[in-house]
Amino acid sequence: MKIKTMIENLKLGKKAARHGAVKLKLIDFVDLSALPKPPASFGHEQLFKPSEWGMLGNDKYGCCVFSGAAHETMLWNLECGKRVIFDDASVLSDYSAVTGFDACNPNTDQGTDMQAAASYRLKTGIKDSTGLRHQIGAYLAIAPGNLQEHYIASYLFHAMGIGIQVSDVAMDQFRKGKPWTVVKNSRNEGGHYIPIVGKRLNNINSVSWGRIQPMSVDFFTKNNDESVAYVSLEMLVNNKSSEEFDSEGLIKILNQLK
């Protein structure tokens, strides 16, 4: 896989989706109909100043899956009043551990498989700038393009990871600071990983290349090719999330299947 530079200092880096690679599905463990309906607008992404997300190596290398993992972890912790910091070196160390990436050899910058990264986050955890590792408790597949599942997962878990296909027009929209929308006759440039961190009326908010990037529902449903929801104990206070969801109950169920 060739990592492409779409505009100056921005790179892609999600490998092709492998449907079924994540065996456990959200709908197998959670009764979506019994959960509260997400409000029209939700998310905690505004806890960060725009400059605080950081590119985390994704301006130089195709490490978007691990840059996104760091952004998710930053958000989960800040919601609980803890500031966790990642830097290029910490993110690239995990990118290297999973993919064999070597900054001295450009041919090793081949991107990341989302399932492989999720498994690593569960078993090993990603490393912050102090060397502390942050593990997730579980990860679950979300049906690509399914709005209900994505809204519920991003509302309950506060951040979830999605894979999208990015076009040349979308890159131009990003450069101009515009939301991602569908434009006919655009050219696909490759796969990208981004966390969904909120919904603001008609747009879905993500973090991409160090800033909040809105996308239209049409753009999401057209370009989303794989998605993973993560259960993180780091977002819990007194065993519950800020939306009163008991994540430990789900983890206990998943632990029985290991």
Side-chain angles (χ1 to χ4, degrees):
M1 173 184 175
K2 182 180 179 182
I3 302 298
K4 300 180 181 180
T5 303
M6 300 302 108
I7 60 176
E8 186 178 2
N9 298 328
L10 299 177
K11 292 199 173 185
L12 302 176
K14 184 189 78 70
K15 287 190 172 181
R18 294 187 297 119
H19 299 296
V22 177
K23 304 299 183 184
L24 303 179
K25 300 178 181 179
L26 178 69
I27 57 173
D28 292 336
F29 297 97
V30 177
D31 182 0
L32 300 184
S33 64
L35 295 175
K37 182 180 179 181
S41 293
F42 62 84
H44 303 276
E45 72 275 22
Q46 295 171 344
L47 290 172
F48 284 97
K49 298 177 181 178
S51 61
E52 291 181 321
W53 291 104
M55 291 285 276
L56 303 181
N58 205 198
D59 54 339
K60 306 178 185 71
Y61 307 106
C63 58
C64 57
V65 177
F66 287 97
S67 302
H71 288 141
E72 291 155 5
T73 304
M74 289 164 57
L75 181 59
W76 289 327
N77 278 273
L78 192 57
E79 288 170 345
C80 301
K82 298 174 289 186
R83 188 170 289 274
V84 173
I85 297 173
F86 289 84
D87 55 21
D88 289 12
S90 60
V91 169
L92 293 175
S93 69
D94 290 318
Y95 180 41
S96 177
V98 173
T99 69
F101 165 74
D102 181 350
C104 296
N105 182 357
N107 292 326
T108 64
D109 189 12
Q110 297 293 315
T112 309
D113 176 89
M114 280 181 56
Q115 187 279 331
S119 178
Y120 179 81
R121 294 174 68 178
L122 175 68
K123 297 174 181 177
T124 303
I126 57 172
K127 184 167 63 175
D128 66 24
S129 61
T130 70
L132 179 66
R133 291 202 173 272
H134 301 264
Q135 292 175 268
I136 56 172
Y139 62 95
L140 300 152
I142 306 293
N146 186 307
L147 278 173
Q148 181 194 27
E149 288 189 36
H150 283 79
Y151 286 157
I152 289 176
S154 54
Y155 175 61
L156 293 178
F157 303 128
H158 304 179
M160 60 169 295
I162 72 167
I164 59 170
Q165 293 299 308
V166 179
S167 70
D168 55 342
V169 174
M171 297 307 303
D172 190 50
Q173 290 171 334
F174 181 88
R175 180 181 60 200
K176 295 176 179 177
K178 296 181 178 180
W180 280 330
T181 58
V182 175
V183 177
K184 293 182 179 180
N185 301 320
S186 56
R187 182 182 67 249
N188 183 48
E189 297 289 358
H192 188 39
Y193 177 95
I194 52 176
I196 290 181
V197 293
K199 177 178 179 287
R200 301 297 167 188
L201 298 179
N202 296 323
N203 282 328
I204 299 169
N205 272 0
S206 68
V207 182
S208 182
W209 295 299
R211 77 180 193 212
I212 297 299
Q213 175 61 29
M215 72 184 90
S216 70
V217 168
D218 287 346
F219 180 90
F220 163 76
T221 54
K222 180 179 186 295
N223 293 287
N224 173 225
D225 59 2
E226 58 181 327
S227 298
V228 178
Y230 310 101
V231 183
S232 172
L233 295 181
E234 294 185 345
M235 72 173 185
L236 301 181
V237 176
N238 296 324
N239 295 326
K240 290 186 181 292
S241 73
S242 59
E243 274 71 35
E244 296 296 310
F245 184 72
D246 182 357
S247 298
E248 285 191 337
L250 177 58
I251 291 173
K252 289 178 181 177
I253 294 174
L254 296 177
N255 283 340
Q256 295 174 4
L257 302 177
K258 294 179 180 178

